[in-house]
Amino acid sequence: MDYTILIGGKAGQGLQTIGGVLARLFSRMGYHVFSHQDYMSRIRGGHNFYQLRFSDKEVSSSRKKANIIVALDLTTIELHKDDLEENGIIIFDAQSVKQTFTGQEFLNVPFDKIAVENGGDKIMSNTAAIGAVLGMLRLETTLLEEIIHTNLKKKGNDIINKNILTAKAGYSYAINECTQCSFAVSMPGKNGNMLIDTSQAVGLGSIMSGCKFYCGYPMTPSTAVMNYIGSKAQEYSIVVEQTEDEISSINMALGASYGGVRSMTGSSGGGFALMTEGVSLAGMMELPVVITLAQRPGPATGLPTRTEQGDLLFVLHSGHGEFPRVVFAPGNPEQGLYLTNKAFDLAEKYQIPAFIITDQYIADAQWTYESLDTDKLVYNDYRLRSRDGAEAESAYQRYSFSEGAVSPLAVPGDSKRLVVVDSDEHDEAGHMIEDAEMRTKMMQKRLLQKLPLIQQEIEAPFYFGGEKPDIVVTGWGSTYGIIKDAVMSLSKTQNIAMLHFSQIYPLPLSEQFDYLKILTEARITICVENNATGQFAYLMRAETGYKFTHHINHFDGRPFLLESLTGEINECIERL
């Protein structure tokens, strides 16, 4: 069982409400759910859609074909009718779209009329649509009623009861009128799953890593992380600050870090471009900070609500001068949780900036999990605090050439230790210098000695496949799910494997898992990226000398879809 539902309409019509409620319903029923959103950069109007896939088996990508299309406007029918699966159904309100359609694949459901007759207001037409979808699938409305109670608790029993009546009326209408519905939905027979997107997972990971200060300037699609942390700020005693711009954001985050707390900032596109001088300041002052970058297509404003993996090389080289950093790119919410925790740990352990790269597609996409193992999370306070004793205070030097290349990180004002830092090159005590010998020693400590230590902390890429595959499909970040689903589908007829990198820089050492051997022994190696130039393939060649035999690059602002990626991989195989 594997069904896809597409809800399309104008911004402001409530399609996210319908999609969001259905996604939660299916996950609570115990199904596996994957959803993604496609929206235009406007408050109202335009054409947007919310697509969710639910199955009794694990799913991690979106398909092009839909089994049910909920059309809230005429444009949705015109644009997506050719995406309907065989035996699929488009439901619409003829009065609302001002046109009627006939044929086996259409079902006119008077959403507005049902809402007015049962709830007294057209605003409940979305509830009627949700009820109609459940009716088409012959699923019960019990959980829907629970969600209505929870969501509308503050609005009182009258509104709750009217919405329940409207949902049941939509349900009954579909049961009676959709005689062509032939969906075979089996109950999963297990407890409900949790539903989470990657922005929430990154925010959760930061909170569980002890983040006490987050600041940022709102910018799509990065804002979701700030919103999530802000929603939990009072509960977990976190200061969340909306700054006047991104220059302030990075510098306030560095100030908080200097003051002794774990801090984080984030942005997208041009906002992150403004932060780069501050990134360099973190490098020179050896201040730990975690920065999230939710990519979107550029250059400049580009396509602000669309998706792309176009900033990898920018992040790798952001900030002037040479200094170490780590770059992580989670491929799903689970990786988002654990890699954010690891970013905080490595940032403080090695006193460096650490990056979490997402993009619009993975930031908004929702996945289901039975649970997430919080025992894997780590918390180590690497800072010197007053509780550590006063015997060494007079000898403290912020940038001392300590064993292990990492100088002790004291908290100013927390003890009698004198903490001196400077954005100029400096000596061990933190005072600015210009002599060549000290400069060389600082660069060796700060960069050349740290980087190999950091690389030893980087885990091997995710590998899925046999020992000696003929074909290896490689990706990074948000392409994890789509590549996995495509490789699973093609593995029925091909000796194919996948390699996915979520810990991007430094690249993993091949001693723990020889991924270069897997690649060099395969007949076809395909690097799949959502950018025009193959930025990860470039990094691989620069760092390891390995060159992929084939590339699949999309740069239209849209995510890969299962049918199209599977077809493109097949084309690569056939061209051999």
Side-chain angles (χ1 to χ4, degrees):
M1 191 207 84
D2 187 348
Y3 289 118
T4 292
I5 301 173
L6 185 148
I7 304 104
K10 299 181 179 68
Q13 282 192 294
L15 56 100
Q16 285 187 334
T17 301
I18 300 173
V21 169
L22 286 173
R24 268 188 289 165
L25 267 171
F26 295 138
S27 63
R28 288 190 188 184
M29 288 176 181
Y31 295 108
H32 295 276
V33 175
F34 181 88
S35 75
H36 89 272
Q37 299 181 50
D38 186 296
Y39 51 96
M40 300 183 74
S41 55
R42 60 184 69 180
I43 303 300
R44 299 190 71 85
H47 173 65
N48 305 329
F49 65 87
Y50 184 112
Q51 187 164 320
L52 71 92
R53 183 180 171 193
F54 74 103
S55 173
D56 52 0
K57 301 179 182 63
E58 186 177 325
V59 289
S60 55
S61 65
S62 294
R63 295 165 54 218
K64 180 175 176 57
K65 293 289 186 179
N67 302 93
I68 295 175
I69 294 177
V70 181
L72 302 181
D73 65 356
L74 182 60
T75 304
T76 299
I77 298 174
E78 293 172 342
L79 290 179
H80 296 284
K81 61 184 178 183
D82 293 336
D83 296 332
L84 198 64
E85 275 277 15
E86 187 178 358
N87 299 323
I89 307 288
I90 299 174
I91 60 172
F92 67 102
D93 183 341
Q95 187 172 2
S96 178
V97 303
K98 296 181 175 51
Q99 191 169 326
T100 192
F101 294 87
T102 57
Q104 189 73 9
E105 71 272 33
F106 293 102
L107 177 66
N108 178 17
V109 182
F111 302 134
D112 288 353
K113 183 180 177 185
I114 291 172
V116 170
E117 288 179 352
N118 293 275
D121 195 323
K122 281 185 180 180
I123 200 169
M124 297 179 197
S125 60
N126 290 336
T127 307
I130 296 169
V133 171
L134 293 183
M136 294 168 71
L137 297 170
R138 303 298 194 264
L139 289 170
E140 295 180 357
T141 60
T142 309
L143 281 174
L144 174 59
E145 293 176 35
E146 290 180 12
I147 290 176
I148 289 173
H149 270 282
T150 303
N151 288 356
L152 302 178
K153 187 176 179 181
K154 292 182 180 177
K155 297 196 174 182
N157 289 332
D158 183 51
I159 297 297
I160 290 172
N161 292 335
K162 286 178 177 176
N163 272 277
I164 290 175
L165 284 174
T166 303
K168 287 183 174 179
Y171 181 88
S172 298
Y173 187 93
I175 290 278
N176 295 327
E177 300 296 329
C178 193
T179 53
Q180 69 271 43
C181 283
S182 57
F183 305 110
V185 181
S186 56
M187 290 301 292
K190 60 175 187 175
N191 295 327
N193 291 319
M194 63 181 292
L195 184 71
I196 187 170
D197 66 45
T198 305
S199 294
Q200 292 172 327
V202 170
L204 183 62
S206 69
I207 294 170
M208 298 186 79
S209 301
C211 177
K212 291 298 177 188
F213 183 80
Y214 184 96
C215 58
Y217 184 80
M219 193 169 192
T220 303
S222 70
T223 310
V225 174
M226 182 165 68
N227 287 344
Y228 181 82
I229 297 174
S231 71
K232 307 292 181 184
Q234 189 169 6
E235 186 177 356
Y236 294 99
S237 301
I238 303 169
V239 174
V240 177
E241 175 75 13
Q242 179 178 321
T243 57
E244 68 268 33
D245 58 31
E246 290 81 359
I247 298 173
S248 295
S249 296
I250 183 75
N251 287 314
M252 287 182 74
L254 293 177
S257 177
Y258 172 72
V261 299
R262 291 193 166 185
S263 64
M264 185 179 190
T265 184
S267 191
S268 301
F272 177 69
L274 290 174
M275 289 186 177
T276 55
E277 186 180 10
V279 173
S280 187
L281 181 62
M284 174 56 85
M285 295 174 71
E286 299 184 61
L287 281 175
V289 66
V290 177
I291 304 163
T292 62
L293 171 61
Q295 301 167 101
R296 63 190 209 180
T301 308
L303 298 169
T305 60
R306 304 294 179 182
T307 197
E308 195 165 90
Q309 294 180 299
D311 295 337
L312 173 59
L313 295 181
F314 180 36
V315 171
L316 286 170
H317 301 287
S318 60
H320 51 289
E322 299 172 294
F323 54 93
R325 68 193 71 196
V326 295
V327 180
F328 295 151
N332 59 32
E334 185 178 29
Q335 292 180 1
L337 173 70
Y338 298 136
L339 290 180
T340 301
N341 177 246
K342 187 169 184 174
F344 272 98
D345 188 68
L346 294 186
E348 195 164 284
K349 184 176 183 180
Y350 294 101
Q351 301 168 24
I352 56 172
F355 295 89
I356 304 291
I357 308 180
T358 62
D359 53 48
Q360 181 271 325
Y361 171 66
I362 195 68
D364 292 338
Q366 294 175 307
W367 303 55
T368 45
Y369 296 94
E370 290 186 10
S371 64
L372 294 172
D373 185 5
T374 55
D375 290 340
K376 292 182 180 177
L377 302 176
V378 297
Y379 179 82
N380 298 302
D381 187 357
Y382 296 99
R383 297 174 190 259
L384 289 179
R385 300 186 189 274
S386 57
R387 63 174 182 266
D388 302 319
E391 64 276 7
E393 289 166 0
S394 61
Y396 178 75
Q397 291 185 310
R398 172 64 187 92
Y399 300 107
S400 65
F401 297 122
S402 307
E403 186 177 351
V406 180
S407 305
L409 179 60
V411 177
D414 194 44
S415 73
K416 293 180 181 178
R417 298 182 180 98
L418 178 62
V419 181
V420 180
V421 300
D422 202 303
S423 65
D424 287 59
E425 189 57 276
H426 41 250
D427 61 14
E428 290 180 270
H431 300 298
M432 58 186 291
I433 58 95
E434 293 197 31
D435 68 276
E437 182 180 356
M438 181 58 73
R439 161 69 177 180
T440 301
K441 291 178 69 175
M442 276 294 166
M443 284 294 285
Q444 287 173 335
K445 177 187 84 78
R446 192 168 53 225
L447 174 63
L448 301 180
Q449 293 177 24
K450 272 188 190 178
L451 203 52
L453 297 174
I454 296 168
Q455 192 169 24
Q456 290 179 10
E457 307 257 9
I458 303 302
E459 295 177 12
F462 173 80
Y463 180 73
F464 172 71
E467 289 186 7
K468 292 185 178 179
D470 294 328
I471 308 148
V472 179
V473 184
T474 302
W476 64 280
S478 61
T479 56
Y480 168 87
I482 185 73
I483 292 177
K484 188 175 181 185
D485 277 359
V487 167
M488 286 182 71
S489 174
L490 292 168
S491 63
K492 297 167 186 168
T493 56
Q494 302 285 347
N495 181 16
I496 189 169
M498 77 170 281
L499 198 57
H500 178 266
F501 291 78
S502 58
Q503 303 189 31
I504 305 289
Y505 187 82
L507 281 175
L509 294 166
S510 57
E511 282 81 354
Q512 50 181 319
F513 171 65
D514 198 349
Y515 55 92
L516 290 174
K517 184 173 184 288
I518 295 281
L519 288 169
T520 52
E521 291 183 351
R523 289 191 302 129
I524 303 173
T525 58
I526 307 167
C527 192
V528 177
E529 298 190 62
N530 210 325
N531 58 48
T533 56
Q535 297 190 17
F536 182 76
Y538 176 88
L539 174 66
M540 277 284 285
R541 192 171 186 188
E543 293 285 321
T544 69
Y546 182 77
K547 183 180 180 182
F548 291 95
T549 65
H550 294 73
H551 302 265
I552 295 176
N553 295 88
H554 281 197
F555 40 93
D556 59 359
R558 273 67 176 176
F560 288 96
L561 298 175
L562 184 56
E563 295 91 334
S564 58
L565 180 61
T566 304
E568 289 181 270
I569 294 172
N570 269 327
E571 287 178 13
C572 292
I573 297 170
E574 290 167 2
R575 286 204 301 267
L576 186 68

